[in-house]
Amino acid sequence: MNSSVSEASLELDYRELDRIIGEDYQNDKENLIMILQAIQKTFNYLPRPALSYLAVKIGVPLSQIYGVATFYSTFSLEPRGRNIISICLGTACHVRGGDRIHETLVDQLKVQDGQTTSDNRFTLESVRCIGCCSLGPVIKVNEDMYGHLKPDEIQSILGRYE
Amino acid sequence: MIITSTKDLDAIRQSCLSRLYTPEGVKVNIGMASCGIAAGAQASYNRAIQEFSTKQGITISQTGCIGFCEMEPLVEIVAQGKPRMMYHHMTEDKIVEAINGYLVGDYHKKWILGQMRDPRNLLEDQIPNPQDKIQPAEGFPFLEDIPFYAKQVKVALRNCGYMDPDSIEEYIARKGYYAFMKALTMAPADIIKTIKTSGLRGRGGGGFPTGIKWESCAKHSGDRYIICNADEGDPGAYMDRSVLEGDPHSVLEGMLIAALAIGSKQGFIYVRNEYPLAVKRLITAIKEAEKIGLLGDHIAGTNFSFHIKISRGAGAFVCGESTALMSSLEGHVGRPRAKYVHTVEKGFRDGPSNLNNVETYANVAPIILKGGDWYASMGTANSKGTKVFSLVGKVINTGLVEVPMGIPLKDIVFGIGGGVPRKKEFKAVQTGGPSGGCIPTRFLDLSVDYQKLAEVGSIMGSGGMIVMDQDTCMVDVARYFLDFLKEESCGQCNPCREGIKQMLDILTNICQGNGKEGDIELLEELGTTIQRFSLCGLGTSAPNPVLTTILYFRDEYEAHIRDKKCPAGVCKPLFHYEIDPEKCTGCHSCAKKCPQEAITGEKKKPHQLDQSKCIKCGICYDTCKFDAIVIR
Ligand SMILES: Cc1cc2nc3c(=O)[nH]c(=O)nc-3n(C[C@H](O)[C@H](O)[C@H](O)COP(=O)(O)O)c2cc1C
Ligand code: SF4
Ligand code: SF4
Ligand code: SF4
Ligand code: FES
């Protein structure tokens, strides 16, 4: 991963940050988790400078913000790929062969959980139950859900994303 | 308009009834919960809009999940004076054909799940039933008579699939907010008494009596908070999602009634990150309720004020635990704390806080409207009312089912669920998620309630029911749950953090063929220690899946350890696939699908499988229709 490269070249949009922190969440530290979610949504991950800026704005020590950002599994401190693949490893998907789907993805993307392909095309993330257990095994690519999956369908699904 | 009395509700209700039950023209209701959308409902919806929205007299609308997820996308078509028809497995092409067919009275038999006799819920008693006068269509079963629905009784799910979740008018038309109006006229103590009489127990896992919780919260002074736990962390469970997506107002109404009973001005709903659609529908519901004065300041023209705020989780299972959830609500890391002081006394912002599960709140309004005795008349001695289960895994009719407590397990798995697909053998049902256990075949007659489940070493939990068949390895399932819990442990206490890891290491070894004599005993010992010395429910219940699988499936553990075999064919180092030449018809389907080209053979003659090429992906095993691929 080339996080240092993209970090250096990243121009933070502070007006956008102000909008999120100040307008949407009233500089309220009780909203920290949702602010982080909004920042991640904007930048696709949590850029270091954004967190420092946030620490000052809401008056929470940076260490504490990092504590929160690393405790919760949805936060990423590194840039992620253009497409996020979430594979469900919930129980219902597991007993219906979710592992095989997982293996196939790891095999075809050549990355492990939480990693991004070298061309930045995909990030693979595992999640615990998306709540669509009736369709298991399930994966989600960005907002698109694919259910009743078989390992041999993975390739063509990946092909749909640039 | 601001609602100030039941009369105001009546007015809205009357103006909306026909839209719900006897629409002018034709109405198409498409099941648009996450599960339906994932199955393709959005495409059907878009296509229906594109094709029919400009045509006079055809309304395309959305509903939540009606429970029969296996059959999704589900679409209901109704017109005045005609039978209501429910179509299953709709696609964008089929839906156009289905609607066109319906218009001319030609119902596509193969696509129809059934006709709906009466889509009204248990709260409605006064409106005439227009459906009574309609000649049923010959040859189509009624939905309530098909095995999946026959034994269900819907209280918490009363509206899911029967109304547009984004429409407060439709909720009111289904007698929504009437219970709240009634509660406004009751003394708080009487509300609590009604809930106590009902015997309602919390549906979030622990089963704590709701009325008693409300009562003790109301006793403490300070700003009191009403919190809804919509974290639904148990993998394999999605009843809370379905309620939030299909009937968000029922949760708001339950919280409003709790606020009246306890004396609270502020409510929070903590929704897990994986449920964006639930959040969207909740936001709409809150706005709509505020608009007509059912949320906000001076509700219904009284001195009662109540605000609800939504907070989103960020992917931590432990945040479902009450103290961790409140800490997370405050914007902190979600670590549980010891409950020397209960959260009903000192919880969120150190104020008295009442935390209940989504389904718990969804049960409140009907209880207030129909009385505690009515609710208590369903169920068993210690478990009243109904319970929603998500019936998933290796079962034919997967979906969401609500049944009276005390129903035999068999009736759920085989009656409603239709049993195990592909003629495989049933092995166990897992209930209660990572805190629960596996229930083997011999307990299929068990009547499902809190006590009976506990007697066999499992729990009700939040209601996930995962059916397992002969191809499920119980050692692997135990390993799976520990792996989950190792990831999710917050790490602040030793027995949980270290103990789970130790148990997981042992199980991983066993699954890889490196199990040793004495491992089973060591697992039991570790398990008991973790149970006794962990701080929160995650640690104290973590060993349950392991201990129950040892209790009921010790032979599988022994096969892994002594014979180095995985009888279910899951643990890869411990089995291989072979072709049974007696059974192989030489159909060649497996060979065509094998990604390794490991299978060869002439057509119509028994095939060969080259072990050195095989990666045990199992595609051939799933493909062969003749059971000729065998696990050895
Ligand atoms: C580790 C852990 C996770 C939990 N997760 C949930 C959850 O996702 N949803 C829930 O309603 N309750 C969950 N609970 C139970 C809650 O702590 C709490 O008992 C419940 O929300 C109370 O509501 P009820 O009385 O309506 O059941 C969890 C408990 C523990 C120990
Ligand atoms: S038992 Fe586990 S999850 Fe619970 S507080 Fe202790 S370490 Fe954290
Ligand atoms: S298990 Fe997979 S690799 Fe092995 S023979 Fe069957 S299809 Fe081929
Ligand atoms: S699918 Fe079954 S029957 Fe057909 S060739 Fe393969 S093993 Fe033989
Ligand atoms: S277990 Fe995969 S969606 Fe629930």
Side-chain angles (χ1 to χ4, degrees), chain B residues 56-130:
Chain B
Q56 274 269 309
I58 299 185
T59 317
I60 314 287
S61 184
Q62 63 167 4
T63 69
C65 170
I66 197 162
F68 209 162
C69 306
E70 188 66 36
M71 296 288 169
E72 274 169 325
L74 285 165
V75 173
E76 180 201 344
I77 309 181
V78 53
Q80 235 178 69
K82 277 181 148 190
R84 299 179 87 95
M85 290 293 192
M86 178 69 86
Y87 295 73
H88 63 89
H89 288 116
M90 281 291 103
T91 61
E92 34 182 327
D93 294 331
K94 278 188 190 166
I95 195 170
V96 176
E97 221 180 302
I99 297 171
N100 282 329
Y102 186 91
L103 292 174
V104 298
D106 169 19
Y107 314 121
H108 293 70
K109 187 144 196 164
K110 272 205 293 207
W111 300 349
I112 286 179
L113 188 60
Q115 44 189 329
M116 289 160 76
R117 189 182 281 126
D118 182 357
R120 294 174 307 159
N121 77 350
L122 74 171
L123 301 186
E124 295 168 300
D125 33 38
Q126 281 153 3
I127 60 165
N129 183 359

Side-chain angles (χ1 to χ4, degrees), chain B residues 60-268:
Chain B
I60 314 287
S61 184
Q62 63 167 4
T63 69
C65 170
I66 197 162
F68 209 162
C69 306
E70 188 66 36
M71 296 288 169
E72 274 169 325
L74 285 165
V75 173
E76 180 201 344
I77 309 181
V78 53
Q80 235 178 69
K82 277 181 148 190
R84 299 179 87 95
M85 290 293 192
M86 178 69 86
Y87 295 73
H88 63 89
H89 288 116
M90 281 291 103
T91 61
E92 34 182 327
D93 294 331
K94 278 188 190 166
I95 195 170
V96 176
E97 221 180 302
I99 297 171
N100 282 329
Y102 186 91
L103 292 174
V104 298
D106 169 19
Y107 314 121
H108 293 70
K109 187 144 196 164
K110 272 205 293 207
W111 300 349
I112 286 179
L113 188 60
Q115 44 189 329
M116 289 160 76
R117 189 182 281 126
D118 182 357
R120 294 174 307 159
N121 77 350
L122 74 171
L123 301 186
E124 295 168 300
D125 33 38
Q126 281 153 3
I127 60 165
N129 183 359
Q131 224 56 21
D132 284 345
K133 298 188 209 89
I134 291 162
Q135 198 63 27
E138 203 70 43
F140 296 94
F142 282 102
L143 222 52
E144 312 91 279
D145 298 336
I146 66 176
F148 183 80
Y149 287 111
K151 291 207 164 138
Q152 295 200 46
V153 177
K154 296 193 174 196
V155 181
L157 298 180
R158 62 193 176 277
N159 294 323
C160 283
Y162 295 113
M163 53 163 269
D164 180 353
D166 283 337
S167 162
I168 195 169
E169 292 88 5
E170 289 192 12
Y171 181 69
I172 292 171
R174 287 182 65 80
K175 275 249 164 141
Y177 289 115
Y178 279 73
F180 170 65
M181 291 314 280
K182 181 174 171 189
L184 268 177
T185 66
M186 292 165 77
D190 288 337
I191 301 177
I192 291 174
K193 198 165 146 223
T194 307
I195 300 294
K196 276 167 104 176
T197 309
S198 76
L200 176 65
R201 296 172 63 170
R203 301 294 192 235
F208 192 82
T210 305
I212 295 181
K213 193 188 271 188
W214 289 15
E215 189 172 52
S216 49
C217 190
K219 270 205 308 251
H220 296 287
S221 53
D223 282 342
R224 302 189 193 91
Y225 299 102
I226 299 294
I227 306 172
C228 172
N229 191 342
D231 197 49
E232 191 151 67
D234 281 7
Y238 60 102
M239 40 273 147
D240 293 349
R241 172 182 69 68
S242 299
V243 171
L244 295 172
E245 289 177 355
D247 190 15
H249 286 286
S250 70
V251 179
L252 303 187
E253 188 175 1
M255 291 176 73
L256 273 161
I257 294 168
L260 278 176
I262 292 168
S264 166
K265 293 194 196 69
Q266 180 69 58
F268 289 86

Side-chain angles (χ1 to χ4, degrees), chain A residues 59-129:
Chain A
V60 171
L62 186 60
S63 60
Q64 199 176 318
I65 293 186
Y66 267 92
V68 169
T70 50
F71 181 84
Y72 296 96
S73 66
T74 46
F75 295 128
S76 171
L77 293 164
E78 278 164 26
R80 302 187 300 167
R82 294 190 293 281
N83 304 290
I84 313 283
I85 304 176
S86 313
I87 164 136
C88 177
L89 297 182
T91 325
C93 290
H94 181 76
V95 304
R96 286 217 197 155
D99 263 6
R100 287 181 196 162
I101 308 293
H102 189 222
E103 273 168 29
T104 312
L105 280 168
V106 167
D107 195 52
Q108 296 194 1
L109 296 169
K110 305 202 167 40
V111 292
Q112 298 295 323
D113 265 5
Q115 295 180 342
T116 302
T117 54
S118 53
D119 58 1
N120 274 328
R121 191 164 150 219
F122 293 109
T123 298
L124 180 63
E125 287 177 353
S126 59
V127 294
R128 307 288 190 170
C129 195

Side-chain angles (χ1 to χ4, degrees), chain B residues 579 583-591 607 623-626 628-629:
Chain B
I579 293 178
K583 286 186 176 163
C584 177
T585 63
C587 73
H588 209 62
S589 345
C590 59
H607 280 38
T623 305
C624 182
K625 288 198 187 76
F626 307 95
I629 309 267

